[in-house]
Amino acid sequence: MINFIVSLLLGMLPEVLYFTLFLSFTKNIKTKRFKLFLLLAIGYILLIMICRYQLIFYLAYIVYSYLVLKLLYKSEIIDFFICSLGYSYLTIVSIIAFIVIPNYWVAFVMNLVLLFAPFILKNKFNKLYMLYR
């Protein structure tokens, strides 16, 4: 039980927070942000319990995230690719951090820093999204 709580606080919630912020800044979402975070967190926790860190989990979470966006904001099909892009960055950063750095805790901290580093340029996200759209 303690392992689950630590995993929730240090792993799942930062990832969901990253994904919520990524979608909010990219799509310029101003309303229902907490609902978005809550629904993404619930989906993440349920999916991780069903298929623990398998490829199907990642694919299902991308589809789930798109469906949440569709439900809350009437999003377009292009948002599916935006969800994929955000999750791809998360995956690449995690792989780099844990392969390059041999110490687990240092890699973990580096992963969190790199995960939230793009938000320095958060004002550019929506401009790139509009250009992509």
Side-chain angles (χ1 to χ4, degrees), residues 20-31 33 73 122-123 125-127 129-130:
T20 303
L21 291 173
F22 177 79
L23 292 173
S24 295
F25 292 133
T26 302
K27 292 186 54 61
N28 201 21
I29 293 173
K30 303 275 190 226
T31 61
R33 284 183 181 178
Y73 305 107
K122 66 183 177 188
N123 297 333
F125 286 11
N126 188 257
K127 291 177 185 171
Y129 173 72
M130 294 309 272

Side-chain angles (χ1 to χ4, degrees), residues 12-45:
M12 293 181 214
L13 288 181
E15 285 186 13
V16 172
L17 179 62
Y18 155 77
F19 207 61
T20 303
L21 291 173
F22 177 79
L23 292 173
S24 295
F25 292 133
T26 302
K27 292 186 54 61
N28 201 21
I29 293 173
K30 303 275 190 226
T31 61
K32 304 180 204 172
R33 284 183 181 178
F34 185 73
K35 258 188 196 176
L36 177 64
F37 175 78
L38 195 62
L39 288 173
L40 289 176
I42 290 169
Y44 195 102
I45 292 168

Side-chain angles (χ1 to χ4, degrees), residues 104-133:
Y104 175 78
W105 290 106
V106 174
F108 177 74
V109 170
M110 183 58 77
N111 183 39
L112 286 177
V113 168
L114 290 174
L115 188 62
F116 290 100
F119 295 118
I120 294 170
L121 304 171
K122 66 183 177 188
N123 297 333
K124 307 286 185 213
F125 286 11
N126 188 257
K127 291 177 185 171
L128 291 172
Y129 173 72
M130 294 309 272
L131 182 67
Y132 180 66
R133 202 168 145 214

Side-chain angles (χ1 to χ4, degrees), residues 56-91:
I56 192 74
F57 162 75
Y58 298 105
L59 297 175
Y61 191 67
I62 291 170
V63 171
Y64 174 79
S65 301
Y66 171 72
L67 293 174
V68 167
L69 282 175
K70 189 86 168 155
L71 174 75
L72 292 176
Y73 305 107
K74 310 292 187 248
S75 64
E76 304 166 1
I77 191 69
I78 194 171
D79 295 334
F80 181 80
F81 300 106
I82 298 301
C83 292
S84 300
L85 181 67
Y87 215 75
S88 296
Y89 175 77
L90 187 145
T91 303

